[in-house]
Amino acid sequence: MRGLFISFEGIEGCGKTTQLKRAQRCLEERGLPVLVTREPGGTAVGEAVRGVVLEPLHVGMAPAAELLLYAAARAQHVAEVIRPALHDGRIILCDRYADSTAAYQGAGRGLPAEWLDTLHAIATSGLDPDLTVLLDLSAAVGLERARARGLYDRLEHEAIAFHDRVREAFLRLAAEAPKRIKVVDADQSIDAVAAEVRGHIDALLSRRQGAAKK
């Protein structure tokens, strides 16, 4: 049976990595096969791209160059990691995917939607997650959390207005695809957020089990 693809999205500091690890532990405790990965990253090519696009010194990077780098990393990620893992029946938990491109490079940078659509088709052949967990948080709170870590990447250096546009774009995407994208209020305790995330994943697993019985 084909595996499941679950992505985690949200602005900087929303707690994606923490919640992804919580979900991983919960699924593994049930004996389910889990693969954790991230974008940009997940492959040698992707990790190299990650170093370039998040390096604070690269402040002069053109938005189109940034978009193409993310697309290149995703193409390698899908071909080398995601599709093979789905074929093997694994549950993929991915820290960011194409919704981040729509939010950051689309709304944040103002790049044309047709560019994003074309590159998405090239990089993924239309592969979308079965479930996307969107951890929603105000940009001000998210940046405060992110910057409290003391290490700023290139995106965290952007002005608050940029991050406001990104958040608004994520919420628009969720409104357009409510069956796939589930919004979770990230301004709660870690345990409360984890419980909501677990509920959405359990619902996905139940639907899969129900479909398999038919």
Side-chain angles (χ1 to χ4, degrees), residues 113-148:
E114 57 267 27
W115 290 12
L116 277 62
D117 292 343
T118 297
L119 288 174
H120 179 65
I122 293 170
T124 73
S125 299
L127 177 64
D128 289 322
D130 298 291
L131 167 68
T132 295
V133 175
L134 173 57
L135 299 171
D136 180 51
L137 191 66
S138 75
V141 173
L143 284 178
E144 181 179 356
R145 289 183 183 179
R147 290 170 177 169

Side-chain angles (χ1 to χ4, degrees), residues 5-7 35-47 70-85 92-98 123-124 127:
F5 181 15
I6 302 171
S7 62
L35 171 69
V36 171
T37 188
R38 67 179 183 176
E39 289 205 350
T43 67
V45 169
E47 292 297 333
Y70 277 114
R74 181 164 300 129
Q76 186 68 29
H77 193 208
V78 169
E80 183 179 334
V81 175
I82 296 178
R83 287 195 184 278
I92 301 163
L93 303 180
C94 188
D95 189 336
R96 298 201 182 281
Y97 189 62
T124 73
L127 177 64

Side-chain angles (χ1 to χ4, degrees), residues 169-200:
F170 274 130
L171 292 174
R172 284 197 300 272
L173 291 168
E176 293 166 1
K179 291 184 178 180
R180 174 176 67 85
I181 304 177
K182 304 301 180 181
V183 182
V184 175
D185 179 4
D187 197 15
Q188 307 178 79
S189 70
I190 292 175
D191 288 343
V193 174
E196 283 196 42
V197 172
R198 185 168 61 250
H200 290 306

